[in-house]
Amino acid sequence: KNEVEQSPQNLTAQEGEFITINCSYSVGISALHWLQQHPGGGIVSLFMLSSGKKKHGRLIATINIQEKHSSLHITASHPRDSAVYICAALGQGAQKLVFGQGTRLTINP
Amino acid sequence: NAGVMQNPRHLVRRRGQEARLRCSPMKGHSHVYWYRQLPEEGLKFMVYLQKENIIDESGMPKERFSAEFPKEGPSILRIQQVVRGDSAAYFCASSPGARAYNEQFFGPGTRLTVL
């Protein structure tokens, strides 16, 4: 079992829908990253959080430390949101990120 | 403030050749991390370096791979005698320090193809 698990692995939705991607981790962490990767592209850091909730535009990230769970939400989804979304955990006392397998999101017009 | 720079963006090598991948961290960042993304797989940690020091190389293959981050100049990931299985995207990230609140910023990656 991976230390960081994401669900779903693939998600297809219509433009305008509310999107939720989930991330569960089995180790103690000091922070959790949400990353975005377009096909053949680089990696963009969306959020880094260690508690509570963060919002940036149409993106919202939440984390529940007790339940070892984080979610990424996209409101009013748009085709340009189509990408792979990756959560990555920074272990306590460690500096290396442990990555989930990614969620491939496709938003159809 | 320029972001993390990696070059080359694409690199083609024949089996047995050497590959050198460069990473220039963001200005003011002294910590560099290398990650590898094999085709259709997730990202995996390789090595973590500070200036002139390797801090954690637990994800680095024991043979043919080496990394350095000299006092001056970029961090280099070196792969000797490349094999087809080394074909992957190699990303580096940098951060200003080692604290948990120091976010890692990623470069655009180097896509290595071994023929």
Side-chain angles (χ1 to χ4, degrees):
Chain A
K1 191 179 189 300
N2 292 334
E3 291 177 290
V4 179
E5 293 276 353
Q6 283 184 240
S7 64
Q9 288 193 27
N10 293 284
L11 179 57
T12 300
Q14 291 299 120
E15 184 174 356
E17 286 189 40
F18 181 81
I19 303 298
T20 296
I21 299 171
N22 296 299
C23 176
S24 298
Y25 50 92
S26 57
V27 295
I29 68 165
S30 52
L32 187 123
H33 290 246
W34 279 101
L35 309 168
Q36 182 194 55
Q37 184 176 29
H38 284 281
I43 296 169
V44 174
S45 179
L46 299 174
F47 296 102
M48 184 183 78
L49 65 167
S50 54
S51 65
K53 177 179 174 179
K54 285 190 176 181
K55 185 174 189 294
H56 182 71
R58 295 181 294 106
L59 301 178
I60 303 165
T62 63
I63 189 166
N64 185 317
I65 297 294
Q66 287 74 29
E67 294 186 4
K68 293 187 174 166
H69 182 269
S70 176
S71 293
L72 176 69
H73 305 286
I74 306 175
T75 62
S77 59
H78 190 275
R80 65 174 175 264
D81 297 325
S82 298
V84 175
Y85 292 84
I86 304 166
C87 72
L90 188 65
Q92 289 173 337
Q95 280 304 305
K96 58 186 180 186
L97 290 171
V98 179
F99 299 86
Q101 72 271 41
T103 294
R104 188 176 300 274
L105 174 66
T106 303
I107 304 295
N108 293 318
Chain B
N1 187 9
V4 179
M5 311 279 283
Q6 287 188 251
N7 68 82
R9 296 288 301 276
H10 299 273
L11 181 61
V12 178
R13 285 287 179 266
R14 296 193 179 279
R15 280 178 295 169
Q17 292 184 319
E18 179 179 286
R20 280 186 180 233
L21 288 62
R22 294 174 189 79
C23 170
S24 296
M26 285 179 71
K27 188 176 179 181
H29 287 192
S30 57
H31 297 245
V32 166
Y33 316 80
W34 285 94
Y35 299 97
R36 179 166 69 171
Q37 186 175 42
L38 292 166
E40 303 303 320
E41 292 190 23
L43 286 150
K44 295 280 195 308
F45 167 80
M46 297 183 75
V47 62
Y48 162 39
L49 311 102
Q50 294 178 37
K51 284 283 187 182
E52 300 184 276
N53 288 304
I54 296 175
I55 307 301
D56 182 347
E57 55 181 347
S58 58
M60 193 93 103
K62 294 288 184 283
E63 296 178 352
R64 302 188 297 107
F65 285 72
S66 62
E68 62 176 8
F69 189 16
K71 187 176 180 182
E72 302 290 337
S75 175
I76 307 282
L77 179 67
R78 182 182 177 206
I79 312 172
Q80 294 178 288
Q81 299 175 326
V82 296
V83 300
R84 289 227 172 100
D86 297 332
S87 295
Y90 293 83
F91 291 93
C92 82
S94 73
S95 70
R99 300 292 184 191
Y101 52 76
N102 286 314
E103 187 172 357
Q104 295 184 25
F105 293 87
F106 285 80
T110 293
R111 277 149 184 87
L112 172 66
T113 301
V114 179
L115 301 178

